[in-house]
Structures are given as structure tokens and as C-alpha cells.
Amino acid sequence: MTKTDFPPSILSRPTYGVLSPRPGPAHLLIADGAGAGAVLDLLGAADAGMAGGSHLIYLPGPDGTDRTAELAALALAQFHRAPSFAAALPRLRKVLGDAHMGVQIYLAGSEGLIGQAQREVMEAGLPHDAVQTEHRGSWVRRVQCVHCKGITENVATDPFLCSHCGLALFVRDHYSRRIAAFQGVNIDAEDPGSVPPPVEKFR
Amino acid sequence: MGLTFKDETFREDFTFFNSPAAIRRFPFPFPEDSYMYSVNMEPHVPGRPGSVFEKTFDVDEHYVAEMRERARVLAEDPLRCQSLPHMTLAGWDLLELIMEAKAREYPDWFSLQRDGNRWHWINRPLEIEQTFTFLDETTLPCGPMEYITRQTQGDFSLQDQRNDNLWMDAGMVTTQADWSLDFDLGMNFFEWHAPVPLAHEKQIFTRALKFLMNVQHGAPARRFNWTMTIDPLLDTSPENYPKWGPSRATLTPENVGRRMHLRVELQTFFRLPRSNALAFPIRCYLIRFEELATQPKWARRLHRVIRDLPDELAAYKGFLRNKPIMVDYLAQFDDGTPTSPGWWAD
């Protein structure tokens, strides 16, 4: 088990649990990278019947981890390997729109994947308690620049340069579920030019 | 009503100042010589004549200039006003609350005539006249919350109450103490207060939430909050921090009295009747240190409050780097004599 232990933080910072099988007519699983391990553990712990009611959407992780072959071997009712979250989105929205009462949703992998998938679930109007999450693998963050509003994916260092406007941003733990991102704030606003060297904080 | 609305600015040449009458009615937020977070709620009932508590929504000499400033901020960044789809009814509730209060309490400036759902609103200071159908959005130039808060001083957030929490699902935020409505929209009470230091440990937000969820229609409440701002800049938004942040490095012993402002938030809380949402107006009052020093009690007390404030709070409020200059300036007004109880000027 590679369950992540995050250091204590502020109340807007998301926390994650461990996936566990729940009874339901249908199971939607969305995972990236090392989240494959959580999916394998989940199905290993479940009744034999769960695989026949499961739809898994899987994409490679931000660190390149790709366990497609192991997941394909699970023989789920539906398995889709997408190259990116953006590419998976039309399918995900269709599946969420078609979902019936009682569907169980399982999200596993990076924070960016979990946050964006959770936002889609919320926007589809599905109940919050139908969703379980488990973080695995990379800690890289999805960060919104509070100044230009652009989102930089896979941020590993603090500070970092906004990929849209180029400002040097420090990464807060303050997190918006609606935007599915942490907040980045200009670090040298008061003393332009004095940017401390970036430290790799989120691997 | 012998009040003249001032023509003044809150950016660039910063011509804002308080008249002697505005200084005397300033809501000084410190009832004692020291400060720590507290829930400090009291009923929002009419207070002393002439004070900022006299009316439900205080209209002062800065009204017209503040509304002009709000329009400029919104033109530059429309994301400062947002309302999630389920909050439109709360917007109508707010419009009704403000229009009724202003027409009743300031009849020389505002008028509201109702013929069933057909309403006729006149705002004389802003030269606005509008006939519209209550609860029909197509009869206003913009949504109801935006419409009325473009005509009312202070920021506004509308909180939806569900699942034993308050959710910030709508707001008009252009005079904020460095928080982003766009980022915080949709958060619950604990999430949008998450970055505040020390207060969570003291259970401040747990108790405040319990209080706020029980605010009843017709029984509003109020409290103060405060921070410091260099120059009379209303829009201290995180969005524009790269523009105003550099000013923090320009404070000197020579200019601190003129440029440093105590920024007071008068927060009020109203239960709205149709939506059961909570309206949370956050009214900002600015006063420069020089103006404040004309009231000896306030200057003495502010010196003690700032001098003894924990650095963690000064850092969160954004003035840690300038605290020594501020304390040195204020010290000249503190002869060590006691201050009288309460916050009213002597």
C-alpha cells in the first residue's frame, strides 16, 4: 500500500482516503498513473461481481507512470485508456450524464486528476457521498495564477513561473474545488526581482 | 440632509480624505488597548444618531466616488461579481432589503414605489431611475445582486445555507482586504477562512458559524474587522497585488502619517426571507493615521494595539515589514495615560 501521508495543513486543502468497495448497480473508476495500484487493490478486495459492473477510465500519470496492461487484464465491463484528462473529458461527461441513482464513483491517482474528475462529478449533480478518493503517486500540483487566472499543470517547485503570464508565484495550500486548483500568488510583488530559488516541494 | 458627496479618487492621485465630520463618526474598531480575534457579534440595531450605525446601510460622503470606483474595477475585471445559478433568488432578496431600507431611511436620496411586482426605483445621488418587474431578471440591465450592489457601498457576499454550513455562492467584491472572490466562490465557511492564522485553533470559526446559521430574518447582526492599507486604495485585491504590492516598500517615517490608513470592515449579517440565504455586507472605512491622530484616545490606543500585536497577525494582515515605522509614529501620541472604555472618541 502506498497511501500518501500529507503533512497537516489548512482546512481548504483536500484530504483523501482509501478506496473501498461499496454495493451499487454500477461502478465508475477514474485513475491516472500510480492510481492504478488503488484500482487493483479495490478490485482485489471486492466481490467477484464488481468487475462486471465497472467502467474504468485510465490515463498515464504526470510522472509518466502507465500501468495500462495490468488494468486491461482485469476484464472490466468497460476499460478506456485516454492519453490525457482533456482527451478523456467528452467520454467522462457522457458517462456522468448517463449515470443512474446509486452509481459508485472511485477516483485515484494524482491530485490534479482527482480534483478535475471530482469537479465534473459535482457539475453533473451527482451526490458528494457517492465519491471516494485515494491519492497515489506524484504530489505535483495544479495551480491557478490568481493574477492572470491561467492554470499551470504539474507544478513541482515553489516558487514557480506561471506558464501563462510568467510571474514568479508561490504555491499556497489554499485550494478551490470549483477551479480544481491550488492558488499561486506573486512572490516578488513587494520587492520586484527578489525571487528566492525554486525548491522542489511536490514530487 | 446637508451632506455633499465628494469628488475623489481611490487610485493614482489618491485624492480621498475624510472631512472633520467623517473623522468624528469613524467606526474605530478597538474597544480596548489590545486586540485578539473574537467573534464580537452584536445586534445590528440603529445606533447613535450620526454614527455609522444609525442606518441599516450607511451612506456617507464617499458614496458617489466609491460607486464610480466600483464601476471601474468591474470594467477591468468582471470576475469580481459572480453568482452561481441557484443564487438569483437571494440576489432579489438583497435588492429588496437594500431598496426598502434606503428609501425608508434616506427619503431625500432614494425612492421606491411598488405596484404589485411593478417597482419604480429612484437613486438621486447616482442619477438612476429604473422601472422593473420584481423577480423578472429580464427587466433589469444586469442580475439583481449586481444591480443593487453597484449602488451600495461595501462588498457583498451571499451565503447559501445547507448541510450545516454556509457556502459563499455569490458576491460583489471590489473593496476587499486581499482575498479573491473568483477563487473562493463555492467554498464553505471553513474553507474560505482557511488561510487565517490562529483563529481556527481558538474555535473562532466554529462559534461564528453556529451564530451565523441562527441569524433570524428581521434580526441582523454586526461585527468589526480591520487591517492596514497604504494609500486609500479600496481595491487591495490579490488579482492586482503585483500593482499595489510595491507600495509596501515605500513607507517612510516622513510619509507614514499621510499614507498609512487604518482599514475597518463593518460586517453585517442579514437573513434573507425567500432564499433563506445569509447576506454578508462588508463595508470598508478608511482613515489615514494623521486623521486618526486628531482623536487623542484613538491614537493612544492604536499605538498600544499595534505595538503589542503578535507578528503572525501583523504578517497575515500584511504590515509586518512596516510595523516598526507605524509604532514609532504612533508612539508620539501615547503619553501613557489610560483610555476610556469603549471605542467612541472622547
Side-chain angles (χ1 to χ4, degrees), chain A residues 5-24:
Chain A
D5 275 326
F6 289 99
S9 182
I10 63 175
L11 288 170
S12 56
R13 199 236 181 284
T15 57
Y16 309 94
V18 177
L19 301 184
S20 69
R22 282 195 195 149

Side-chain angles (χ1 to χ4, degrees), chain A residues 114-188:
Chain A
I114 294 173
Q116 292 178 90
Q118 203 159 27
R119 179 175 61 175
E120 293 301 320
V121 173
M122 275 164 34
E123 283 180 5
L126 290 163
H128 196 253
D129 57 8
V131 185
Q132 295 183 61
T133 60
E134 179 169 343
H135 181 268
R136 293 268 187 129
S138 173
W139 290 41
V140 291
R141 291 187 173 189
R142 192 176 133 85
V143 183
Q144 188 198 40
C145 173
V146 75
H147 314 293
C148 80
K149 307 295 181 184
I151 287 175
T152 303
E153 303 281 351
N154 303 330
V155 172
T157 67
D158 184 16
F160 74 101
L161 294 183
C162 174
S163 62
H164 301 264
C165 70
L167 282 175
L169 306 179
F170 70 92
V171 182
R172 299 181 80 190
D173 279 349
H174 200 32
Y175 181 87
S176 164
R177 270 193 307 267
R178 192 178 65 87
I179 300 168
F182 290 92
Q183 189 176 62
V185 179
N186 188 200
I187 196 164
D188 60 336

